[in-house]
Amino acid sequence: MTTYLLAGGGTAGHVNPLLALADLIRREEPGAGIIVLGTREGLEARLVPERGYELVHIERLPFPRRPNAAALRFPVRFARAVSQVRELIRSRGVDVVVGFGGYASAPAYRAAAREGVPTVIHEANAKPGLANRWGARSTPHVAVTFAGTPIAGARVTGMPLRPEITGLDRAALRDEARAHFGLDPARSTLLVTGGSLGARALNRGIAGSAQMLVDAGIQVLHVWGGLTELEDPGVPGYVVIPYCDRMDLAFAACDLAVSRAGSTTVSELAGLGIPAVLVPYAVGNGEQRFNAAGMVEAGGALLVEDGELTPQWVHDVLVPLLLDDARLEAMSRRARSAGALDGTERLLELVREAVGAAGT
């Protein structure tokens, strides 16, 4: 029986692929041991136990980026975290460490190397995070979501995705999905989502043109997001919801999506062949622009900046696109050519290779 230690967390971009891999291991290897290493502060603190997995907590340790008191304390705290993970590896007989980035990953990578346990790294973004860049120096088993991700020797596996997404038949579920959200089964449908946290500029940029969209014969499902105040324009045919726990149905309902360019979202849209307008998040290290590049270059998506989401842009670009069935169909084919739905299986294949290589 193999015992897996899955390390990562903080954001959905780290937690969701971790859980997708854990679910596949549980289905294919019911007797396997699965331990998740994370922090008390990240999304994993809620999502991992909810999914039925054991979560071992480790101290949240951001890499120091400037000389200050925290930087002086970091080496001792990091060494303590590494010791904690080494003890976990020994006491639980861990056979392989799989890291997804985030605060819990770096100590896990170091501990695995010290204990002689193989390490597999999955990098979700086209622009790698610091923990994974550092960890990739000490293992040949590195998986990336996007081709061109600058990690030498990495294998493109794609993004591990939830079974609800990989098994989704959008055409078969379209009428049911639209009825679920109170939408007309016969009207062109736009999905707008800024992710779980919301996106103020994206939200307001589209909602400000609600009447224009509806008057053009387009209905909208707008997932507003949790951390920005919901503003419902109150236009019939423009449905605003704060959260969506059935994104599979949201994807089935739509003809086009306007969305942030998080790695999971881009992977889901491309894999399912959903034409998109991708609006990269302007704050951070710019990874969303890189995430979007493959789908945009393939012709399956448009790249638009926050500031371009004006009523004029909606009138000149978005409405004509939504009403052009032939163009949407072509974009759907091109989007699918840039995506894949088997990222979970391909990552597990790499993990098994690492375990096998360690045993020879």
Side-chain angles (χ1 to χ4, degrees):
M1 180 184 79
T2 304
T3 298
Y4 299 84
L5 178 61
L6 310 184
T11 66
H14 294 135
V15 180
N16 286 338
L18 183 156
L19 289 173
L21 180 64
D23 289 348
L24 180 59
I25 293 170
R26 187 161 58 183
R27 288 197 302 274
E28 295 198 354
E29 304 174 38
I34 302 174
I35 308 164
V36 179
L37 186 71
T39 69
R40 297 181 187 277
E41 296 84 3
L43 279 179
E44 66 273 17
R46 176 174 60 86
L47 297 181
V48 169
E50 282 181 356
R51 199 76 138 254
Y53 296 108
E54 176 186 1
L55 177 65
V56 175
H57 296 112
I58 194 170
E59 184 181 3
R60 182 179 180 273
L61 288 173
F63 276 108
R65 298 178 183 272
R66 58 179 62 88
N68 53 26
L72 292 174
R73 293 192 298 269
F74 179 81
V76 173
R77 296 169 66 196
F78 185 77
R80 186 166 57 238
V82 171
S83 295
Q84 178 186 346
V85 184
R86 292 185 69 179
E87 172 58 29
L88 177 65
I89 290 172
R90 289 192 297 265
S91 65
R92 301 293 293 274
V94 170
D95 297 291
V96 62
V97 170
V98 186
F100 294 83
Y103 297 121
S105 292
Y109 299 153
R110 174 65 63 84
R114 294 280 177 84
E115 292 296 319
V117 171
T119 299
V120 178
I121 293 174
H122 181 269
E123 175 53 57
N125 288 300
K127 189 172 182 179
L130 183 57
N132 281 352
R133 291 203 312 270
W134 177 78
R137 298 173 185 171
S138 57
T139 178
H141 308 294
V142 181
V144 295
T145 298
F146 301 106
T149 302
I151 298 179
R155 180 188 302 185
V156 179
T157 62
M159 174 66 79
L161 298 174
R162 299 166 290 164
E164 313 89 273
I165 298 299
T166 60
L168 181 63
D169 186 336
R170 293 178 61 230
L173 279 176
R174 177 155 295 161
D175 287 355
E176 176 188 334
R178 290 181 177 176
H180 177 82
F181 296 108
L183 299 168
D184 185 334
R187 295 180 69 185
S188 296
T189 303
L190 172 66
L191 170 66
V192 181
T193 174
S196 60
L197 301 181
R200 190 179 304 276
L202 189 159
N203 283 340
R204 290 181 172 175
I206 303 299
S209 300
Q211 193 65 59
M212 182 194 307
L213 288 161
V214 171
D215 287 348
I218 297 160
Q219 61 188 349
V220 181
L221 173 62
H222 192 146
V223 184
W224 197 266
L227 292 187
T228 53
E229 185 178 352
L230 189 147
E231 301 172 20
D232 189 338
V235 176
Y238 195 105
V239 176
V240 180
I241 57 177
Y243 308 100
C244 183
D245 57 5
R246 290 299 307 271
M247 283 303 296
D248 55 327
L249 293 182
F251 286 145
C254 75
D255 299 295
L256 176 76
V258 176
S259 173
R260 283 298 193 213
S263 57
T264 299
T265 301
V266 171
S267 298
E268 290 173 337
L269 292 170
L272 292 170
I274 299 175
V277 174
L278 299 175
V279 188
Y281 187 46
V283 180
N285 66 2
E287 72 272 8
Q288 290 202 359
R289 183 177 301 277
F290 293 96
N291 295 343
M295 192 173 175
V296 172
E297 289 168 4
L302 307 179
L303 189 73
V304 176
E305 306 294 342
D306 277 344
E308 297 178 62
L309 298 175
T310 63
Q312 191 67 48
W313 177 85
V314 171
H315 179 273
D316 293 347
V317 177
L318 188 59
V319 169
L321 176 57
L322 272 158
L323 298 180
D324 189 338
D325 291 342
R327 187 179 177 195
L328 289 176
E329 178 57 34
M331 287 181 69
S332 175
R333 292 194 303 271
R334 292 166 182 163
R336 194 174 289 109
S337 74
L341 294 173
D342 61 350
T344 319
E345 290 80 5
R346 292 164 72 183
L347 177 59
L348 182 56
E349 180 182 340
L350 179 60
V351 173
R352 287 170 172 164
E353 287 179 17
V355 173
T360 58

